[in-house]
Amino acid sequence: MTASRDPDRLLERAGVSGNPDRDQHFLVDERVLDRLPTHLPADVDRSHVLEIGGGTGALTDRLLATCDRVTTIERDPALAEFLRREFDAEIDAGRLTVVHGDALDVTLPDATASVSNLPYGVSSEIAFRLLPLGIPTVLMFQREFAERMAAASGSDEYGRLSVSAGHYADIEVVEPVPPTAFSPPPAVESAIVRTTPRDPDYAVDDEAFFLRFVKALFTQRRKTLRNAVRNTAHISGLADPDAVVAAADESLMSRRAGDVAPDEFAALATLAADVGRGDDDD
């Protein structure tokens, strides 16, 4: 089965042209659209694929050509209604479900994978709704955001996003996408990211505290960890940051967050939870 709908014709039929003020940039480059589903690994279960931001259905069409069933979530009521008209045959056949709503609020379906051209304004929030689901994803982001997601410790791009995303999955930037692939063209470069779920190579007892602790330390990435732990207790929730500094390895506390690997953050977070949170912390 092959995709049959031209993205420019879909825009015409929907009667829309995109609106940067509403974070609407429609992907219209057919080559990029055709490649997006192929970035899922060959052995991935394609029985039910989730798309966030259906738009006019250009990617939806490609997903229907390569997957058994698709659920697409679209927050614009006019576009959701257009999708229902345009794909009425696929809906009647039980192969497509169109959900009108905000992807940050609606209940996500029990999908086996997600392929999406995300609205950039909420791409981070949506990504962190998808990553804990433990399903493979292929997602479009601003290129700078994508490179920070995939960055290794010690690099300029490495930060809280790298550690938090890498906690859930292997992250790969698989394809840069120029502004000309969109209508209207955004002011930034874009990139396609593939996430492959896996367990981290470290253990944490309290995932929420670990992620909050990492967030806190990266708010002062130019400080040594010694100072960052002390200065961000109001973010991390530590009751006794000095106890953490005293108990931690001196050489680690002399480094900066950008040079600390995820497993080292995990060990420090475990220590911090043991000696610095106090009896009343959750």
Side-chain angles (χ1 to χ4, degrees), residues 69-279:
R69 185 160 65 98
V70 176
T71 293
T72 186
I73 299 173
E74 175 52 54
R75 66 182 178 181
D76 185 309
L79 287 175
E81 182 56 34
F82 170 76
L83 289 170
R84 292 190 179 106
R85 294 195 309 270
E86 178 69 26
F87 293 92
D88 60 335
E90 290 87 346
I91 292 171
D92 288 345
R95 298 195 58 234
L96 176 65
T97 300
V98 176
V99 176
H100 169 229
D102 190 322
L104 296 177
D105 298 324
V106 302
T107 300
L108 299 180
D110 187 17
T112 59
S114 178
V115 180
S116 304
N117 173 31
L118 297 178
Y120 288 165
V122 290
S123 59
S124 177
E125 293 93 330
I126 292 174
F128 282 96
R129 282 207 78 187
L130 294 173
L131 284 168
L133 299 180
I135 60 174
T137 75
V138 173
L139 307 171
M140 184 84 73
F141 294 104
Q142 290 187 21
R143 186 170 183 174
E144 180 184 359
F145 184 92
E147 290 173 346
R148 286 192 287 121
M149 276 187 82
S153 60
S155 65
D156 290 341
E157 295 81 12
Y158 179 72
R160 169 204 172 189
L161 177 61
S162 320
V163 179
S164 300
H167 178 69
Y168 297 104
D170 288 324
I171 314 293
E172 303 169 81
V173 179
V174 294
E175 181 178 346
V177 180
T180 52
F182 299 86
S183 177
V188 295
E189 297 280 330
S190 302
I192 300 169
V193 170
R194 176 170 55 223
T195 77
T196 304
R198 51 104 182 96
D199 293 328
D201 58 1
Y202 53 80
V204 291
D205 294 331
D206 186 334
E207 182 177 87
F209 175 72
F210 166 67
L211 295 173
R212 188 169 69 246
F213 185 67
V214 169
K215 173 184 177 181
L217 298 185
F218 272 106
T219 64
Q220 298 209 341
R221 64 177 300 144
R222 291 183 174 82
K223 303 288 187 179
T224 63
L225 288 188
R226 181 186 305 106
N227 289 329
V229 167
R230 287 173 170 149
N231 295 344
T232 61
H234 62 291
I235 300 174
S236 64
L238 289 176
D240 190 354
D242 287 333
V244 179
V245 172
D249 183 87
E250 174 65 22
S251 62
L252 175 63
M253 300 311 285
S254 298
R255 291 157 60 191
R256 290 170 174 78
D259 297 319
V260 177
D263 62 324
E264 294 175 302
F265 276 119
L268 182 58
T270 299
L271 175 67
D274 287 343
V275 305
R277 293 182 71 184
D279 295 336

Side-chain angles (χ1 to χ4, degrees), residues 11-68:
L11 284 172
E12 291 175 10
R13 288 200 291 275
V16 295
S17 57
N19 184 343
D21 293 335
R22 297 180 60 197
D23 206 16
Q24 281 186 334
H25 299 276
F26 296 106
L27 182 59
V28 294
D29 188 311
E30 292 193 84
R31 296 164 299 178
V32 177
L33 283 163
D34 290 343
R35 285 196 297 268
L36 263 166
T38 71
H39 287 304
L40 284 174
D43 60 350
V44 163
D45 181 354
R46 296 170 183 253
S47 60
H48 185 189
V49 173
L50 171 64
E51 179 190 15
I52 305 293
T56 60
L59 179 56
T60 312
D61 191 44
R62 272 75 185 168
L63 294 176
L64 287 165
T66 57
C67 307
D68 297 336

